[in-house]
Amino acid sequence: MAQHKFKVGDIVVFVGHSVKRPSGPYEVVRLMPADSPDNTYRIKSRTEHHERVVREHEIAAEE
């Protein structure tokens, strides 16, 4: 089991292929338990009321 690359509070950008999503930055709000080889996170945009669940390969550090 690999350690999570990001931690709670990190600001990331969504690089996954989702049709409807805000383009702005997201904050990592929770590290999810390992259920697959790819780590999973809950992220939240300031422009949305809900959180999204994404896999580590779908997000990148904000530059």
Side-chain angles (χ1 to χ4, degrees):
M1 178 174 15
Q3 288 189 344
H4 285 81
K5 179 179 177 181
F6 303 101
K7 63 184 188 301
V8 172
D10 284 351
I11 303 300
V12 297
V13 292
F14 194 103
V15 295
H17 299 287
S18 178
V19 176
K20 292 186 177 184
R21 63 179 166 79
S23 60
Y26 292 81
E27 180 180 358
V28 175
V29 294
R30 182 176 297 173
L31 310 181
M32 303 300 290
D35 63 350
S36 71
D38 198 7
N39 291 322
T40 307
Y41 301 83
R42 291 185 75 86
I43 61 173
K44 183 163 184 335
S45 167
R46 291 182 186 152
T47 62
E48 293 181 308
H49 296 287
H50 62 277
E51 297 175 356
R52 295 175 180 268
V53 175
V54 296
R55 300 214 180 269
E56 194 165 88
H57 72 272
E58 296 178 304
I59 57 177
E62 183 181 48
E63 295 181 6

